[in-house]
């Protein structure tokens, strides 16, 4: 009996050891070559890059400053030292990013036959014009309420219904249409409680522009916006940067709720009942019995900065013309010279850390013995803090075709500086099958994958990968977990809260003496293996059905 049991145990051990050959993504995630190359990601390497980039010497890495230039040079030197090739096909390490800086001064009115309302800029309305002219005027243009301003074929939803809004100003509600069934979000519509891109103000302006509107004004409400109007008021009159487009709205702006209510009542409508109507798929845009005038005085200038790009060329003669991009923004907020003591926004976590992780991945790839089939691009982008502008510029002026770009892996402020975790967060989980690759790679480190806790805040739309997603390229954005090994979730959560409250976009986002690197190293390894697997596997990552980006990718690949 005893003997039999021992024999059985022996058989069981034998069975579990004789690992079956891996298949699918696992075949590459478990490749000996990438696993040995991963050893090059270590604390020394990461902390050297993070400490240097976030030192006062780099002045907070603001684009178009001395600190910005220093950063670009440091990145070029680092990629060169690793032994990569210049990533720009013209032989250089950089892509010039030309941004337009505009400061708009508005004088706006709503006018009916018997009333004229002169709006106080900053309180009653805020807005600007990205038209590169000193004077942009909208004179008594028509105003039309277009519900949520959404055209989403995958939800059979169209707020415009083919109504001509050319030359008019469209008034739009904030966020996704909140479709409810029995007081619960309908998960089949606009991803339920989570925000889709249709809910973002930038989408609403873009759709209005596509429709030929002269202007678009979003109605701010604190609940669905997720932040108070004061956030928009802060700095509304300072210069804002953009990537110059061939076409822009003459006016894009916001109305606080109080102004919206006044606007609707001046034009003989009730705001709350119109809002209710906008929840129906049968909603019809409503011409409002009112005109809008705004005289906008613009001052503008060009601001130049650079994306840094390095290339690790694939070895397969056909597949080397296909690409995987690792990206991280190198820029941060710069300095505030008015301050007395500490003047520098060091941006250690946001995003010296992510930049260091991309450099570490580059280093590891360079150590592969048999290379990768496809090519890997390492793209450190500028001006994320100004609205993803470096990434946006690249996506509008790609150095390699986007239809040959399989995936983008973005690293931004992962913040896992308090130890190894059992979990890893995928922001925008459910968007693409990149999730499955991450999940398998995480499993290798005995980690589980979770979605972000607040999908209604739309974090997926707030960092550089999104500039690529918006063009249709499957894009991944992960965040460090909080289920810290040996310390638990509460500890990790409190560490994250401390960062958000005390350090995020503050002078104190610095390398702290209590930082622990093994969590970053582990997560860096996961992202490394994910990129490697995509570079090797014959299957391309793809968007899931019902994501707002799938039709773009399908169209791109058809052509
Ligand atoms: Zn930031």
């Amino acid at each position: 009996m005893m003997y039999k049991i021992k024999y059985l145990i022996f058989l069981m051990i034998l069975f579990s050891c004789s690992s079956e050959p891996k298949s699918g993504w696992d075949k590459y995630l478990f490749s000996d070559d990438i696993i040995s190359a991963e050893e090059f990601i270590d604390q020394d390497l990461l902390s050297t890059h993070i400490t240097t980039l976030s030192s006062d010497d780099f002045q907070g890495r603001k684009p178009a400053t001395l600190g910005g230039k220093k950063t670009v040079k440091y990145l070029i030197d680092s990629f060169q030292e690793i032994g990569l090739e210049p990533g720009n096909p013209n032989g250089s390490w950089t892509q010039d990013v030309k941004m337009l800086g505009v400061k708009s001064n508005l004088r706006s009115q709503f006018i009916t036959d018997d009333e004229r309302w002169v709006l106080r800029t900053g309180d009653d309305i805020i807005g600007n014009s990205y038209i590169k002219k000193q004077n942009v005027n909208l004179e008594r243009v028509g105003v039309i309420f277009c519900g949520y301003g959404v055209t989403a074929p995958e939800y059979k939803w169209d707020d415009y219904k083919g109504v001509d809004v050319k030359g008019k100003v469209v008034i739009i509600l904030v966020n996704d249409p909140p479709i409810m069934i029995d007081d619960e979000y309908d998960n089949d519509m606009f991803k339920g409680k989570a925000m889709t891109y249709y809910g973002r103000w930038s989408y609403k302006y873009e759709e209005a522009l596509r429709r030929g509107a002269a202007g678009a004004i979003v109605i701010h409400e604190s609940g669905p916006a997720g932040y108070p109007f004061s956030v928009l008021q802060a700095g509304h009159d300072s210069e804002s940067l953009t990537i110059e487009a061939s076409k822009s709205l003459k006016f894009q702006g916001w109305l606080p709720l109080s102004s919206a209510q006044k606007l609707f009542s001046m034009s003989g409508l009730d705001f709350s009942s119109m809002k209710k109507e906008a929840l129906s798929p049968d909603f019809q845009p409503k011409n409002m019995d009112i005109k809008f005038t705004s005289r906008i005085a613009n001052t503008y200038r060009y601001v130049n900065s650079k994306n840094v790009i390095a290339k690790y060329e694939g070895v397969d003669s056909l597949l080397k013309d296909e690409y995987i991009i690792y990206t991280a923004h190198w820029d941060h907020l710069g300095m505030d010279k008015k301050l007395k003591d500490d003047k520098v926004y060091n941006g250690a976590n946001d995003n010296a850390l992510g930049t260091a992780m991309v450099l570490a991945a580059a280093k590891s790839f360079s150590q592969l013995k048999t290379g990768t089939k496809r090519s890997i691009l390492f793209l450190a982008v500028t001006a994320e803090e100004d609205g993803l502008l470096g990434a946006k510029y690249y996506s509008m002026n790609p150095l390699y075709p986007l239809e040959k770009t399989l995936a983008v892996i973005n690293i931004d402020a992962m913040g896992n500086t308090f130890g190894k975790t059992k979990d890893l967060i995928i922001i925008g989980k459910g968007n693409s099958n990149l999730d499955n690759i991450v999940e398998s790679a995480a499993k290798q480190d005995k980690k589980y994958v979770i979605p972000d806790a607040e999908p209604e805040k739309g974090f997926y739309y707030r960092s550089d990968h999104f500039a690529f997603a918006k063009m249709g390229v499957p894009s991944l954005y992960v965040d460090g977990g909080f289920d810290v090994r040996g310390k638990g979730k509460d500890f990790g959560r409190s560490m994250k809260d401390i960062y958000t409250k005390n350090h995020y976009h503050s002078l104190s986002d610095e390398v702290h003496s209590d930082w622990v690197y093994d969590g970053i190293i582990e997560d860096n390894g996961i992202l490394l293996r994910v990129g490697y697997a995509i570079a090797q596997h014959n299957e391309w990552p793809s968007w899931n059905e019902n994501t707002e980006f799938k039709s773009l990718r399908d169209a791109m690949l058809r052509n």
Side-chain angles (χ1 to χ4, degrees):
M1 191 68 182
M2 198 61 196
Y3 191 79
K4 257 189 182 168
I5 288 172
K6 270 188 184 159
Y7 183 63
L8 205 67
I9 290 170
F10 170 75
L11 274 183
M12 280 165 71
I13 290 169
L14 192 74
F15 182 74
S16 65
C17 287
S18 68
S19 55
E20 294 168 53
K22 304 274 181 202
S23 62
W25 299 102
D26 274 358
K27 184 172 165 194
Y28 305 106
L29 293 171
F30 283 88
S31 133
D32 290 338
D33 203 7
I34 194 67
I35 285 171
S36 336
E38 193 180 327
E39 297 298 314
F40 288 88
I41 302 173
D42 62 19
Q43 174 163 346
D44 250 16
L45 181 67
L46 288 170
S47 77
T48 304
H49 288 316
I50 300 169
T51 311
T52 310
L53 288 167
S54 67
S55 64
D56 283 356
D57 222 25
F58 282 67
Q59 302 180 347
R61 306 187 303 280
K62 196 174 166 64
T65 65
L66 201 65
K69 289 194 181 102
K70 232 178 174 163
T71 308
V72 168
K73 185 177 183 308
Y74 180 83
L75 292 171
I76 295 173
D77 290 348
S78 303
F79 283 128
Q80 212 154 15
E81 201 185 299
I82 292 168
L84 298 183
E85 292 172 31
N88 191 324
N90 74 7
S92 93
W93 292 95
T94 57
Q95 176 182 42
D96 289 331
V97 177
K98 188 174 170 189
M99 295 172 279
L100 182 65
V102 186
K103 225 168 158 175
S104 297
N105 200 325
L106 323 171
R107 283 180 301 139
S108 315
Q109 305 178 1
F110 281 112
I111 306 151
T112 62
D113 285 345
D114 38 36
E115 218 179 327
R116 175 188 297 268
W117 174 26
V118 179
L119 294 111
R120 294 164 305 163
T121 305
D123 293 320
D124 299 330
I125 190 168
I126 58 174
N128 57 13
S129 177
Y130 286 126
I131 303 269
K132 207 180 65 189
K133 277 187 184 165
Q134 279 177 345
N135 294 294
V136 181
N137 291 326
L138 288 98
E139 282 295 340
R140 289 180 171 261
V141 298
V143 178
I144 181 163
F145 174 59
C146 289
Y148 286 86
V150 169
T151 301
E154 66 276 34
Y155 300 117
K156 300 194 171 50
W157 190 279
D158 180 16
D159 284 325
Y160 285 91
K161 303 283 186 317
V163 170
D164 187 7
V165 298
K166 280 198 185 71
K168 293 183 181 171
V169 165
V170 296
I171 306 288
I172 310 167
L173 297 164
V174 73
N175 214 316
D176 292 325
I179 310 301
M180 316 290 281
I181 303 177
D182 301 334
D183 290 340
E184 298 270 335
Y185 280 96
D186 178 353
N187 285 323
D188 292 335
M189 292 300 285
F190 301 100
K191 294 188 186 161
K193 190 177 171 232
M195 188 195 272
T196 69
Y197 185 50
Y198 301 115
R200 294 282 290 170
W201 50 268
S202 49
Y203 164 78
K204 293 168 192 282
Y205 294 147
E206 286 158 6
E207 188 61 39
L209 177 67
R210 279 192 284 271
R211 304 267 169 176
I217 303 178
V218 178
I219 296 168
H220 177 272
E221 291 183 81
S222 298
Y227 46 83
F229 191 66
S230 58
V231 169
L232 296 168
Q233 286 175 298
H236 75 91
D237 50 0
S238 53
E239 180 187 63
S240 62
L241 297 181
T242 187
I243 303 297
E244 199 176 4
S246 52
K247 269 171 75 188
S248 302
L249 290 171
K250 281 175 131 180
F251 180 87
Q252 57 181 59
W254 290 87
L255 290 176
L257 181 58
S258 54
S259 289
Q261 284 160 338
K262 184 167 172 178
L263 164 69
F264 278 71
S265 81
M266 264 178 85
S267 42
L269 296 167
D270 176 55
F271 176 63
S272 47
S273 49
M274 286 310 294
K275 214 173 114 174
K276 241 174 240 152
E277 273 186 36
L279 285 176
S280 160
D282 300 325
F283 166 81
Q284 283 291 330
K286 182 92 182 158
N287 269 305
M288 297 173 82
D289 206 2
I290 200 160
K291 302 283 183 215
F292 179 66
T293 287
S294 190
R295 300 198 181 112
I296 305 157
N298 272 342
T299 47
Y300 60 85
R301 63 178 180 129
Y302 284 107
V303 177
N304 295 304
S305 186
K306 286 174 195 298
N307 291 332
V308 181
I309 183 161
K311 183 177 174 186
Y312 176 71
E313 189 158 81
V315 292
D316 184 290
S317 59
L318 288 173
L319 298 182
K320 72 180 171 52
D321 294 325
E322 298 177 354
Y323 307 90
I324 289 92
I325 298 181
Y326 282 90
T327 190
H329 74 88
W330 60 253
D331 67 299
H332 194 55
L333 306 171
M335 287 196 290
D336 186 346
K337 288 183 181 152
K338 284 178 291 204
L339 296 174
K340 274 217 173 77
D341 303 317
D342 188 2
K343 298 179 174 55
V344 181
Y345 289 89
N346 305 79
N349 180 33
D350 180 12
N351 187 30
L353 187 147
T355 309
M357 287 172 76
V358 167
L359 288 170
K363 168 88 186 175
S364 289
F365 275 105
S366 77
Q367 301 298 319
L368 287 172
K369 291 187 185 72
T370 51
T372 52
K373 292 180 190 167
R374 299 191 173 88
S375 298
I376 318 274
L377 301 169
F378 302 93
L379 176 64
V381 289
T382 184
E384 188 270 352
E385 305 285 11
D386 294 288
L388 326 181
L389 297 184
K392 199 172 166 189
Y393 188 87
Y394 182 97
S395 72
M396 292 163 75
N397 306 279
L399 297 174
Y400 302 90
L402 294 182
E403 63 271 21
K404 299 261 181 189
T405 304
L406 275 75
V408 169
I409 298 171
N410 178 32
I411 312 179
D412 186 7
M414 279 189 72
N416 46 352
T417 51
F418 37 82
K420 285 192 185 184
T421 56
K422 295 184 197 166
D423 56 345
L424 185 69
I425 297 168
I426 299 183
I427 295 174
K429 189 167 182 293
N431 276 337
S432 75
N433 67 354
L434 287 165
D435 295 356
N436 309 357
I437 316 172
V438 175
E439 200 157 5
S440 301
K443 218 184 252 169
Q444 285 176 278
D445 293 330
K446 301 193 169 46
K447 263 184 203 289
Y448 60 91
V449 160
I450 52 169
D452 62 318
E454 300 172 300
E456 69 278 15
K457 290 195 176 162
F459 285 115
Y460 189 72
Y461 313 107
R462 298 194 192 178
S463 187
D464 297 306
H465 60 282
F466 179 62
F468 293 90
K470 217 174 110 177
M471 300 300 251
V473 182
S475 300
L476 180 69
Y477 183 31
V478 304
D479 196 12
F482 52 80
D483 192 353
V484 181
R485 287 194 195 274
K487 293 184 174 171
K489 291 181 189 173
D490 288 343
F491 172 77
R493 214 174 268 132
S494 73
M495 294 304 280
K496 285 203 162 205
D497 286 348
I498 289 172
Y499 176 76
T500 312
K501 273 201 205 110
N502 301 347
H503 306 312
Y504 174 70
H505 282 201
S506 298
L507 296 165
S508 62
D509 183 0
E510 296 170 330
V511 175
H512 295 267
S513 56
D514 62 349
W515 274 25
V516 178
Y517 282 82
D518 56 1
I520 308 172
I521 294 168
E522 192 171 73
D523 293 349
N524 210 341
I526 291 173
L527 294 178
L528 176 79
R529 297 194 298 274
V530 168
Y532 177 82
I534 302 168
Q536 302 300 82
H537 199 11
N538 55 3
E539 192 182 314
W540 284 39
S542 61
W543 296 108
N544 294 339
E545 296 295 332
N546 282 343
T547 50
E548 53 269 52
F549 319 108
K550 187 170 189 307
S551 59
L552 291 166
R553 185 60 160 180
D554 291 349
M556 182 195 286
L557 297 183
R558 249 196 321 270
N559 291 333

